[in-house]
Amino acid sequence: MHGEPRYGEVFGITTAVSDYDALLAAIQAIPPPVRLAYAHFDILLQSLGNAELQAELRQCSMVYLDGVGARMAFRLLHGGPVAAINATDLHHRLLALLALSGKRIAMIGGRPDAGERLRRELLRLGFPEDRVLVQHGYHDIGDLGRLQELQRFHPDAIFLGMGTPKQF
């Protein structure tokens, strides 16, 4: 499966399926600001009964599928082959593209220890220290210092990790 991604609705959410190269090319062609989300079957199912979640997903520039359940749903609804990609591998490839183009990235979410490991890994992969901001997800929602730090950093891309409770 090469070329343009295929699009189709799954539980009312327009989703994209393709191989890694086609998804990355399509992402790069989206005019800023770009808002991406990946959706596994559980998130798509939850969106059926959650108007706020469904609205958030519908506002994304692209929602791509993650996991065998989501791919099976797409294939049952729309037919044809569906490439077996996963969000983690796609994110690694997207990070590599961002690093090569000198973009500033912010990674927000997760435990403090995981955030520090991620920051060290990004530096090891070649991101300059002044182009990487990592904030853990365990702080008070009213902590304006975190938001101000993010605004001062002025990232080109923000990866927001909200977690997937059913995987824990």
Side-chain angles (χ1 to χ4, degrees):
M1 181 184 307
H2 295 288
E4 296 290 318
R6 287 188 328 157
Y7 294 90
E9 283 197 10
V10 178
F11 302 150
I13 304 298
T14 300
T15 61
V17 295
S18 191
D19 58 40
Y20 292 109
D21 292 336
L23 282 176
L24 288 170
I27 290 168
Q28 289 177 297
I30 298 170
V34 178
R35 185 173 178 184
L36 305 172
Y38 70 90
H40 47 78
F41 188 78
D42 186 57
I43 289 294
L44 291 168
L45 195 57
Q46 285 182 40
S47 76
L48 284 174
N50 184 329
E52 186 176 356
L53 175 58
Q54 194 155 88
E56 288 296 324
L57 290 171
R58 287 181 175 157
Q59 290 180 33
C60 290
S61 309
M62 179 188 289
V63 177
Y64 44 93
L65 299 178
D66 183 41
V68 67
R71 289 191 307 271
M72 284 176 57
F74 189 96
R75 188 172 50 232
L76 288 170
L77 292 167
H78 303 287
V82 178
I85 68 158
N86 70 62
T88 301
D89 288 343
L90 183 67
H91 296 161
H92 284 238
R93 293 168 193 229
L94 185 54
L95 280 169
L97 286 173
L98 292 168
L100 290 173
S101 62
K103 301 291 186 188
R104 300 169 69 82
I105 64 157
M107 309 289 278
I108 303 170
R111 295 182 318 270
D113 61 313
E116 180 54 31
R117 284 194 316 271
L118 174 62
R119 188 188 70 74
R120 285 193 309 265
E121 180 63 13
L122 291 171
L123 295 175
R124 187 189 71 74
L125 291 173
F127 275 93
E129 187 139 10
D130 66 341
R131 300 249 171 232
V132 175
L133 173 69
V134 177
Q135 294 181 347
H136 63 78
Y138 290 84
H139 56 273
D140 187 296
I141 193 77
D143 184 354
L144 293 180
R146 297 282 181 164
L147 182 56
Q148 290 167 343
E149 179 184 28
L150 182 61
Q151 288 173 328
R152 280 191 306 273
F153 184 68
H154 197 15
D156 296 297
I158 300 172
F159 285 76
L160 178 62
M162 298 186 307
T164 307
K166 293 200 178 203
Q167 290 183 341
F168 298 116

